[in-house]
């Protein structure tokens, strides 16, 4: 069965108190709307339609960055959830199959839950996702009769008896796309809110002799975000779940609550992550690697048995081969560290290749930027870069070459050569002692003058 996702993301999110549309606020490095898309990804949707309204341009740009094929439907006025879904009709022209409606501000629906809904469609025409609410508050209530979902009543419309129900509507709907649109055509807005309620489709379906049921998930999955405090709560919930998953997958987190993960962080088995490590987007760590405390990583790949930090910063394009090592206060960007190579201390390596088993001394800088353009540095296998070497790119250091400490390397160094590019040392016998005497006298004079 082919599937289409319809993600409602038109709402303003007044309580966020933000210029940014609500669904673009991020959890674990991805906008909430992208989380909703990822929830649906396991169903391999043939089409994804995002219903936009407030901040439509911004939402489109952010969604396209994640999925260039996503389609958009503008809901100029927010007249209710059924009206929002109706806007997706044109974008689903020519699509045959099931549509799943998700909310852009409900980021945690699990793929297995949507799979269960898709499976329930074999027996029922309309499938609604419900949850047992600890505090049902103002949620819509599901009125069940055995397996049959009789109707959904919005809180505002509900009788006292209905308000006492604790099985609530999450908002997620699954139905054949034609059925869905034809039911929505019949939805009116004669209700307490004057809105077109998507929830009305259940009663309408049953009036037509169609069947409806509910799949039930945990309340945590249906967590919606309406305020900054709820956003922080959602972030904490995501982090807790992602950390637990990593540990289950065989990764050691020494102090899990201090490790910050991203929506797409991958870490292989038997890797160890020390305290206070931050993972930005696009990080993959293979197995048996060690990420030491206070390191910050984004857009990088770390191979088996490589070691990073403490206090390392790996920026996008950092690629660490097996058994390589990046030590404290080292920054890498768009640079490859080949097998067994080491940058142990206090260095910046950007736009570079460091060959296998090469060693970069403390305080080395690849001077990659001339103020206008970026240039490449290439360091050969087994090369030894002396401490405090400036490598003025573009420049090449050959295999098994050396640079002397403090060198400013502006032209290529042939393989196996030693490059010396610093002022020659001169020693003046006895001059230090004379200098000390002179300085002490000066100091005495000054303190006399002051009193
Ligand atoms: C809705 C459900 C309610 C359910 C609750 C779960 C209806 C009528 N009610 O209520 O049964 O318990 O969600 O959270 O469906 N949106 C649009 N365009 C609109 C209206 C809404 O895009 O015209 C989007 C919102 O941005 C939001 C989502 O749809 O992401 C839900 O809308 P909201 O107004 O929050 O619905 P509730 O009243 O909470
Ligand atoms: Ca809501």
């Amino acid at each position: 069965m082919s599937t289409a996702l319809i993600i409602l993301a038109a709402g303003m999110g007044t309580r966020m108190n933000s210029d940014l549309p609500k669904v673009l606020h991020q959890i674990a490095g991805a906008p909430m709307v992208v989380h909703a898309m990822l929830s649906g990804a396991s169903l391999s949707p043939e089409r994804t339609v995002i219903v936009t309204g407030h901040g439509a341009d911004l939402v489109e740009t952010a969604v396209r960055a994640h999925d260039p094929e996503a389609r958009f439907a503008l809901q100029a006025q927010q007249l209710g959830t059924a009206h929002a879904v109706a806007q997706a009709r044109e974008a689903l022209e020519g699509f045959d199959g099931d549509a799943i409606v998700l909310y852009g501000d409900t980021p945690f629906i699990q793929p297995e839950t949507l799979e269960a809904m898709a499976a329930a469609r074999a027996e029922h025409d309309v499938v609604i996702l419900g949850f047992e609410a600890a505090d049902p508050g103002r949620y819509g209530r599901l009125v069940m009769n055995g397996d049959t979902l009789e109707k959904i009543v919005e809180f505002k419309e509900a009788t006292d008896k209905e308000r006492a129900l604790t099985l609530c509507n999450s908002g997620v709907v699954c139905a054949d796309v034609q059925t869905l649109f034809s039911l929505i055509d019949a939805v009116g807005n004669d209700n307490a809110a004057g809105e077109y309620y998507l929830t009305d489709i259940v009663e309408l379906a049953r009036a037509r002799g169609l069947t409806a049921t509910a799949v039930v998930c945990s309340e945590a999955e249906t967590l919606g975000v309406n305020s900054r405090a709820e956003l922080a709560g959602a972030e904490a919930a995501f982090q807790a779940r992602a950390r637990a998953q990593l540990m289950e997958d065989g990764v050691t987190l020494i102090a899990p609550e201090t490790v910050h993960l991203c929506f797409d962080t991958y870490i292989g088995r038997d890797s160890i992550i020390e305290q206070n490590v931050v993972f930005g987007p696009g990080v993959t760590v293979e197995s048996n690697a060690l990420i030491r405390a206070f390191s910050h990583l984004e857009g990088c790949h770390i191979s088996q048995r490589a070691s990073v930090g403490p206090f390392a910063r790996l920026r996008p394009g950092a690629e660490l081969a097996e058994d390589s090592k990046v030590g404290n206060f080292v920054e890498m960007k768009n640079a490859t560290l080949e097998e067994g190579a080491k940058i142990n201390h206090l260095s910046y390596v950007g736009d570079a290749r460091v060959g296998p088993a090469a060693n970069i001394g403390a305080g080395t800088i690849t001077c990659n930027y001339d103020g206008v353009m970026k240039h490449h540095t290439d360091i050969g296998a087994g090369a030894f870069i002396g401490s405090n070497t400036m490598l003025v790119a573009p420049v090449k250091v050959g295999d098994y070459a050396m640079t002397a400490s403090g060198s400013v390397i502006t032209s290529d160094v042939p393989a196996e050569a030693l490059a010396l590019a610093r002022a020659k040392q001169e020693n003046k016998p006895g001059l230090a002692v004379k200098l000390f005497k002179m300085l002490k006298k000066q100091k005495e004079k000054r303190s006399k003058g002051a009193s």
Side-chain angles (χ1 to χ4, degrees), residues 43-294:
L43 300 171
S44 315
E46 205 168 281
R47 285 194 207 177
T48 298
V49 183
I50 315 289
V51 179
T52 60
H54 288 279
D57 291 353
L58 292 172
V59 175
E60 279 195 39
T61 307
V63 167
R64 282 223 170 86
H66 172 73
D67 177 4
E69 285 175 6
R71 300 178 183 211
F72 300 90
L74 186 69
Q75 186 194 26
Q77 262 189 303
Q78 280 70 62
L79 304 179
T81 44
H83 180 257
V85 173
Q87 310 310 306
R89 192 191 296 258
E90 205 178 304
L92 289 173
E93 197 93 22
F95 168 79
D96 246 344
D98 275 4
I100 292 195
V101 179
L102 297 168
Y103 293 168
D105 61 358
T106 305
F108 294 143
I109 307 288
Q110 294 302 298
E112 305 77 52
T113 299
L114 297 182
E115 283 159 24
M117 289 182 75
R121 273 273 301 118
E123 310 266 329
H124 298 275
D125 298 300
V126 175
V127 180
I128 298 289
L129 181 63
F131 63 102
E132 278 295 341
D135 170 15
R138 303 185 65 81
Y139 286 117
R141 306 294 206 269
L142 303 190
V143 181
M144 301 296 296
N145 182 2
D147 255 3
T148 295
L149 174 60
E150 293 200 325
K151 62 174 179 172
I152 308 177
V153 276
E154 284 306 287
F155 180 80
K156 284 181 184 165
E157 283 20 88
T159 61
D160 284 347
K161 201 174 149 210
E162 287 165 340
R163 285 182 180 181
L165 297 171
T166 52
L167 185 62
C168 293
N169 175 29
S170 70
V172 183
V173 174
C174 180
D176 168 75
V177 74
Q178 307 305 337
T179 309
L180 179 66
F181 285 129
S182 122
L183 290 168
I184 281 175
D185 283 340
V187 172
N189 66 347
D190 183 15
N191 55 46
E195 282 184 14
Y196 295 89
Y197 289 162
L198 181 58
T199 45
D200 284 355
I201 63 167
V202 172
E203 258 191 299
L204 289 165
R206 292 183 22 83
R208 292 185 190 178
L210 302 175
T211 66
T213 194
V215 163
V216 177
C217 71
S218 79
E219 187 167 9
E221 288 185 45
T222 68
L223 181 79
V225 171
N226 297 297
S227 65
R228 305 269 182 169
E230 285 173 9
L231 183 68
E235 179 76 49
F238 181 96
Q239 294 297 333
R241 201 158 41 232
R243 291 169 190 138
Q245 184 64 52
L246 276 181
M247 291 189 279
E248 213 177 294
D249 293 346
V251 176
T252 295
L253 303 180
I254 293 174
E257 64 286 358
T258 69
V259 174
H260 196 88
L261 302 162
C262 222
F263 72 102
D264 61 353
T265 304
Y266 170 83
I267 305 177
R269 202 162 159 263
D270 286 324
S271 277
I272 298 173
I273 314 297
E274 291 188 354
Q275 300 86 337
N276 295 291
V277 175
V278 175
F279 291 89
V283 178
T284 51
V285 178
E286 306 294 344
S287 53
N288 291 297
L290 172 63
I291 314 294
R292 303 199 55 200
F294 296 98

